[in-house]
Amino acid sequence: MQSQFVDGFGVAHFLSQADLVGRLVLLVLLLLSLASWYLIISRSLASHFAQRRAKAFLARFWSSRSEDLRRRLQDEACDHAFARLAAEGLDALADSGDVSLAAAGGFAEYLSRRLGHVIDDEAAAAEYGLTMLASAASAAPYIGLFGTVWGIYHALVQIGLSGQGTLDRVAGPVGEALIMTALGLAVAIPAVLAHNAFNRRNRLWLARLEGFAHELYVLLTVKGVAADAAAAQAPAAGR
């Protein structure tokens, strides 16, 4: 008899007895969990492939000869920030003789702005999904706690109406209601761990981008100054 009483409680029994509010809480937790895991898996795969593409690109970039660099970049797919930085830098070098407002202020300033725009765009793209993960990590425990409080309230009301308030009658429904808190924590813990991991990855990724942009800036400004000097010496040599 006692075994049948214990077997009558559990997750399945709690879900079957949950009212509309309890099922809405479960639905919200399920949606938060699905969104969190989608972002965790998709961002992890995207980060892995981006790291591989960037590593291969940097190896090809630094092994290229300067005269072959533009041709090599034309054959590259600009599907990661390092390739976009290099392409923007070379485009800025090609436009260095432009007299438009965008190129006003000198080549160095123009190049700095264009490289900065690429880094800003990458920083904005790196924030994708972090707000959702932070929201799930912070809100899921409280949503689960609300479900627990609501479930305990209804369990105590039913126990009071039945007139049987002994411990064996209270422990089962209250224990079932605590399932909501456990589900909230199960949603929140992966979300907060992933949020922290992606934040660290973004800091390292942007630091590498800024380092590459600085090296590219030095290379292209030196080349631009040399080109300007050569152009200035050409008329003098013609005289």
Side-chain angles (χ1 to χ4, degrees):
M1 188 70 179
Q2 183 178 1
S3 175
Q4 294 178 357
F5 176 76
V6 173
D7 292 339
F9 295 97
V11 177
H13 182 266
F14 173 72
L15 295 179
S16 65
Q17 298 298 319
D19 61 354
L20 178 61
V21 175
R23 291 178 181 178
L24 285 176
V25 171
L26 286 172
L27 179 61
V28 171
L29 290 176
L30 177 62
L31 292 177
L32 287 176
S33 179
L34 290 176
S36 298
W37 280 107
Y38 167 77
L39 291 171
I40 291 171
I41 295 174
S42 62
R43 281 185 58 92
S44 297
L45 291 175
S47 175
H48 173 70
F49 290 122
Q51 294 278 2
R52 288 182 57 184
R53 289 193 296 266
K55 183 178 179 180
F57 169 79
L58 290 176
R60 292 192 300 269
F61 180 85
W62 293 117
S63 63
S64 298
R65 301 172 65 179
S66 59
E67 58 270 15
D68 297 335
L69 188 56
R70 178 174 290 276
R71 181 182 56 81
R72 291 286 298 271
L73 283 177
Q74 290 176 349
D75 299 334
E76 290 280 348
C78 292
D79 52 358
H80 56 87
F82 288 92
R84 288 193 293 271
L85 273 175
E88 283 290 325
L90 291 178
D91 288 343
L93 183 61
D95 298 340
S96 58
D98 194 356
V99 294
S100 64
L101 289 177
F107 171 67
E109 179 63 26
Y110 179 54
L111 176 62
S112 179
R113 289 200 307 270
R114 293 193 62 163
L115 295 180
H117 290 162
V118 176
I119 293 178
D120 291 340
D121 291 342
E122 183 65 18
E127 294 292 324
Y128 169 74
L130 291 185
T131 301
M132 181 64 212
L133 289 175
S135 300
S138 59
Y142 296 103
I143 296 173
L145 184 60
F146 172 77
T148 294
V149 173
W150 187 263
I152 290 175
Y153 165 73
H154 279 281
L156 293 178
V157 168
Q158 292 175 4
I159 291 171
L161 292 176
S162 66
Q164 297 178 347
T166 58
L167 183 61
D168 59 342
R169 295 291 180 179
V170 174
V174 171
E176 286 182 349
L178 291 174
I179 293 173
M180 286 289 197
T181 299
L183 292 177
L185 293 175
V187 174
I189 291 173
V192 70
L193 292 177
H195 181 269
N196 293 337
F198 290 142
N199 264 331
R200 180 179 180 275
R201 178 262 174 193
N202 290 345
R203 288 195 302 270
L204 296 176
W205 181 255
L206 292 176
R208 289 180 62 193
L209 277 179
E210 290 174 356
F212 178 69
H214 176 71
E215 293 175 338
L216 192 63
Y217 176 85
V218 172
L219 289 174
L220 294 180
T221 50
V222 169
K223 184 173 182 179
V225 169
D228 292 341
Q233 290 174 2
R239 297 195 196 104

